[in-house]
Amino acid sequence: LSLTDEQKVAVETIFANYRATLDEQRSAVELARSALRTASMAEELNEEAVRAAAKALAAVEEEMAVTRAKIHAEISAILTD
């Protein structure tokens, strides 16, 4: 892409504004994946625990998807100006 200096700064600012949120969400996804793995690999199947862990993972992935969509929308607005 051929961005102006102003656009480059704006994109960097957008990423900076979301950095902490994305870091938190990445950590939450890692924890949720670990919990699901633990529940799935338990010696004795606990279907309720597996379902709960899967739902928790889906919820944090949903939030991360929304954050990424917000970032995309903000960057798209800058690129089309």
Side-chain angles (χ1 to χ4, degrees):
L1 289 175
S2 250
L3 301 178
T4 66
D5 289 340
E6 185 178 293
Q7 287 173 318
K8 289 177 187 176
V9 169
V11 169
E12 289 173 11
T13 300
I14 291 167
F15 279 117
N17 289 341
Y18 283 98
R19 186 166 288 119
T21 300
L22 286 171
D23 287 345
E24 289 172 13
Q25 290 173 340
R26 278 189 207 100
S27 293
V29 167
E30 287 176 24
L31 288 172
R33 282 186 182 147
S34 178
L36 178 57
R37 189 176 316 108
T38 299
S40 298
M41 303 303 254
E43 200 168 303
E44 188 174 322
L45 173 63
N46 180 337
E47 189 173 330
E48 188 175 308
V50 173
R51 289 180 187 278
K55 286 178 184 177
L57 175 57
V60 294
E61 287 180 335
E62 174 185 14
E63 289 305 314
M64 184 175 256
V66 170
T67 299
R68 287 179 176 158
K70 287 178 181 179
I71 292 168
H72 181 267
E74 289 183 31
I75 290 173
S76 291
I78 289 166
L79 299 180
T80 57
D81 283 347

